[in-house]
Amino acid sequence: MTGCTTEEKSVGYGITNPSDQSRSEVIKIDVSDQKLPLKGYGLKVGSKVIPGELIDINGDGTGGELYIFLNFEPNETLKGGLVPTEASPKKLTQAELSIKTGGEWEGRKYKGGTFENVDFLEVPEEHTDHSYFIRYEGPGWESDKAAYRFYLDWRNGVDYFGKLGDDPVLQGVGLDGFDSYHELGDWGMDLLKVGQTLGLGSIGRYVNDTLYRFRNVDSVSCEIKMNGSLKSAIETNYYNWKTGNVSTTLNSVMSIGAGSAVSAHQLTFTNPIPDFCTGLVINEGEESIDKKMGEYRVLASYGDFSLNQDQMGLAIIVKNSDVASVSEGAGSRVVKFTPKKEITYYLLAVWEQGKSAVKSKMEFESLLDQELVKLNEPITVTKQ
């Protein structure tokens, strides 16, 4: 059944694309004041109901946020009412964390056991790089366009999995061998060599030509914050991270929405610290990009440097007002942030065979321009 009951009145919204470009985006509608039961809801636009995903953000059994995937023409306003529906959106995003259980630690290695997905992990003291404890070495998150992971150990490097199809794939990655994803499979492959660099938008502290990672923390926890059809997110806490005479507790939330290769990274510090950074690995033969549009700046690279020996593009997007400096070091282009309690930046990668396929630097720059427009001219939601 689709429609409104006598007890539930349709709440109307106007959702506007203020830009001159067509776009498809996951939109968040705040419905916390309506105390909606956790069931199916959608937006009725004309005679069509577009199913959404209702999320309980406060743990009180009612929906606080409704996510819905909408297509807009330039400068278009979609007007519709919120209605119950039995339809559900297709699952286009995923977040997961998979660890070994049933085995045992032998020093820094985990021997035996089988992988099991968990929603929360307090990272064991024994765990380090190549402990064979976490499947593909950390949590992963993906949309229909791209998949990412980061190493949940002292390295904390962000890596990119190129996808050949729309459906979620992470649930099968690394089950047939610890690093089998370095070879091209039916789903795609790991395309980026991170090593000791900042990879794709990794974080750390860059002081006197030295990149400091997360070797010295009291503890680290990681949680699947959201594993939705239209949006997924991973939350990580680094408790009392120390570098030199500086310490802070850092909260990190990585998220991704359907229809986009862009991942947002939201950071919150108990104590804002100097020299905190992100950046991009420098690859031999790359063509670099550095451009500003409105409030944002994109630093990117494009070239024939994927591990599949074909073309890919990497980018980070930062707010101009957040940038203290840009330099080169540790095999990376390093972006230092001005010390703040909260910072948000964005990362994305594309592959010539992937779902956000680009075949040239010009096409990649066009895609980056579109993403900059989205950030500078965000979709607006108005209750009517």
Side-chain angles (χ1 to χ4, degrees):
M1 181 187 82
T2 299
C4 299
T5 68
T6 57
E7 293 81 19
E8 293 173 291
K9 295 182 180 180
S10 174
V11 177
Y13 293 92
I15 307 175
T16 300
N17 168 20
S19 70
D20 293 330
Q21 69 181 28
S22 300
R23 54 207 277 190
S24 300
E25 288 185 48
V26 175
I27 307 304
K28 181 180 74 174
I29 302 176
D30 183 353
V31 295
S32 56
D33 60 335
Q34 299 177 51
K35 300 295 182 183
L36 299 175
L38 290 174
K39 59 180 184 180
Y41 284 86
L43 191 71
K44 188 175 183 181
V45 180
S47 61
K48 182 181 181 181
V49 175
I50 305 167
E53 184 173 25
L54 191 60
I55 304 295
D56 177 7
I57 60 171
N58 295 318
D60 62 359
T62 64
E65 296 173 345
L66 181 76
Y67 290 92
I68 190 162
F69 191 22
L70 298 175
N71 302 307
F72 296 90
E73 294 299 320
N75 304 114
E76 182 179 25
T77 295
L78 299 176
K79 295 182 178 181
L82 197 62
V83 297
T85 178
E86 292 180 357
S88 299
K90 180 182 178 181
K91 187 163 180 63
L92 296 174
T93 74
Q94 177 175 221
E96 68 164 20
L97 176 60
S98 183
I99 64 170
K100 281 280 188 73
T101 61
E104 61 182 4
W105 286 98
E106 294 183 9
R108 291 285 191 165
K109 307 291 185 185
Y110 194 87
K111 300 296 182 67
T114 56
F115 286 115
E116 174 185 341
N117 278 26
V118 295
D119 292 330
F120 178 84
L121 177 67
E122 187 81 31
V123 179
E125 289 185 7
E126 299 92 339
H127 180 64
T128 186
D129 58 292
H130 299 89
S131 285
Y132 308 102
F133 172 62
I134 304 176
R135 184 157 57 86
Y136 55 79
E137 298 194 271
W141 64 107
E142 66 179 312
S143 70
D144 47 318
K145 302 298 183 183
Y148 304 100
R149 62 166 172 159
F150 73 85
Y151 308 131
L152 191 56
D153 54 54
W154 67 270
R155 298 170 297 171
N156 204 258
V158 179
D159 205 347
Y160 168 57
F161 289 130
K163 294 177 58 168
L164 294 172
D166 293 329
D167 295 332
V169 299
L170 288 175
Q171 69 277 2
V173 175
L175 288 174
D176 55 349
F178 186 73
D179 58 0
S180 57
Y181 42 79
H182 289 126
E183 301 294 332
L184 184 62
D186 293 340
W187 63 271
M189 66 177 288
D190 176 6
L191 289 166
L192 184 62
K193 176 66 174 177
V194 176
Q196 299 299 311
T197 75
L198 283 166
L200 173 60
S202 308
I203 53 176
R205 247 189 116 219
Y206 188 67
V207 185
N208 297 328
D209 298 326
T210 299
L211 178 60
Y212 293 91
R213 303 297 186 90
F214 291 83
R215 285 189 182 275
N216 194 354
V217 291
D218 287 354
S219 63
V220 177
S221 67
C222 187
E223 180 177 4
I224 304 303
K225 187 176 179 69
M226 187 184 302
N227 181 16
S229 297
L230 299 179
K231 185 172 182 179
S232 290
I234 294 165
E235 180 173 8
T236 309
N237 284 291
Y238 306 89
Y239 295 101
N240 199 23
W241 173 40
K242 304 181 190 71
T243 54
N245 60 354
V246 174
S247 66
T248 190
T249 290
L250 174 61
N251 174 267
S252 156
V253 178
M254 292 277 204
S255 62
I256 198 165
S260 176
V262 175
S263 176
H265 194 182
Q266 297 170 280
L267 297 158
T268 305
F269 302 79
T270 57
N271 174 38
I273 60 175
D275 304 310
F276 185 80
C277 70
T278 188
L280 290 176
V281 57
I282 296 174
N283 290 285
E284 185 178 352
E286 71 178 27
E287 295 182 85
S288 63
I289 299 165
D290 185 347
K291 67 167 60 181
K292 294 180 181 179
M293 181 189 292
E295 296 183 9
Y296 291 89
R297 178 177 181 177
V298 60
L299 293 103
S301 59
Y302 186 84
D304 191 20
F305 54 74
S306 86
L307 290 179
N308 197 48
Q309 299 182 332
D310 51 13
Q311 295 181 100
M312 66 185 295
L314 308 173
I316 52 174
I317 304 174
V318 294
K319 268 196 168 182
N320 295 323
S321 58
D322 289 341
V323 177
S325 67
V326 177
S327 60
E328 291 189 4
S332 311
R333 296 172 76 188
V334 181
V335 178
K336 284 189 182 183
F337 291 107
T338 301
K340 294 183 177 181
K341 275 213 162 186
E342 295 183 355
I343 296 170
T344 298
Y345 69 95
Y346 305 85
L347 58 93
L348 76 152
V350 295
W351 176 37
E352 70 168 280
Q353 296 190 49
K355 296 307 295 185
S356 294
V358 294
K359 305 293 186 182
S360 68
K361 181 187 176 188
M362 183 179 298
E363 285 187 19
F364 186 41
E365 289 198 70
S366 177
L367 174 64
L368 294 174
D369 286 343
Q370 293 172 39
E371 297 301 338
L372 287 168
V373 168
K374 290 179 182 180
L375 289 171
N376 280 295
E377 302 182 62
I379 301 293
T380 61
V381 179
T382 305
K383 188 183 290 188
Q384 299 181 329

